[in-house]
Amino acid sequence: MSRGHCILSHGFESGPEATKVTALAEVAERLGWTHERPDYTDLDAMSQVSRVGDVRTRLQRLIERSAAAAAQGPVVLAGSSLGAYISAIASLQVPVAGLFLMVPPTTMGPMPALDAAPVPTTVVQAWHDEVVPAAGVIAWAQARSAQLLLVDDGHRLEHHVEASAQAFERLLRQL
């Protein structure tokens, strides 16, 4: 019997086999959660839509998957960078049990500013993030009293994959 379902969304110019979402999938499986890692690479390649691809369709794809999963039981949305952004925004339209956001952009061009449902949320942010400034993410997390893990790393969190997986495990165990 599954405890729920995790949808793990990769960042821009990444993929469903990316290191971070793979580490999260391993945690989910070990704790009895089913999981999936949608592939958004086709949408990320759509540079004619924007410099980060077709974000609206990426978001819609996640909403559809999340709604189907939520009809079956608890859903946790997790993602990195653009994957974190769409996870947070999708939580406003689909009931979720929790959010796990790694280096989430607080703004996304013409898209709405980062917002999320009032559910248990963990944010992992890098102090030296060259893409998403830490100060904005810290303020966003503080306004929601979210769990916040600040690490000495850059946007890819390459030196904190295991620390991120441990934070994800803490979130899933608390749900």
Side-chain angles (χ1 to χ4, degrees):
M1 183 76 179
S2 170
R3 294 189 53 214
H5 188 67
C6 299
I7 302 178
L8 313 168
S9 294
H10 65 81
F12 176 66
E13 294 183 333
S14 187
E17 301 304 318
T19 305
K20 291 186 298 277
V21 293
T22 298
L24 300 185
E26 290 168 1
V27 168
E29 192 165 314
R30 184 166 36 81
L31 296 180
W33 292 72
T34 58
H35 57 85
E36 64 182 293
R37 295 179 269 174
D39 187 348
Y40 304 108
T41 55
D42 60 322
L43 301 174
D44 292 354
M46 299 181 79
S47 58
Q48 71 276 18
V49 177
S50 82
R51 68 174 186 76
V52 290
D54 190 345
V55 178
R56 291 183 196 284
T57 303
R58 195 188 231 257
L59 174 60
Q60 191 56 42
R61 187 178 290 174
L62 178 58
I63 289 169
E64 290 167 7
R65 284 176 177 257
S66 302
Q72 306 300 311
V75 172
V76 170
L77 299 180
S80 180
S81 193
L82 181 53
Y85 174 83
I86 65 168
S87 295
I89 299 296
S91 76
L92 297 169
Q93 297 185 44
V94 177
V96 300
L99 289 167
F100 187 77
L101 311 174
M102 296 177 286
V103 294
T106 56
T107 60
M108 185 57 61
M111 297 290 291
L114 187 66
D115 197 3
V119 297
T121 301
T122 297
V123 178
V124 179
Q125 179 60 40
W127 279 116
H128 310 289
D129 192 325
E130 63 282 4
V131 177
V132 178
V137 176
I138 294 166
W140 187 88
Q142 181 181 19
R144 288 165 173 66
S145 299
Q147 291 289 319
L148 177 61
L149 173 60
L150 291 165
V151 297
D152 183 11
D153 212 335
H155 187 70
R156 299 182 67 78
L157 296 172
E158 61 197 25
H159 302 295
H160 289 84
V161 173
E162 182 57 31
S164 297
Q166 290 169 358
F168 187 55
E169 181 170 345
R170 285 191 295 278
L171 174 67
L172 292 183
R173 287 189 184 281
Q174 103 181 38
L175 298 178

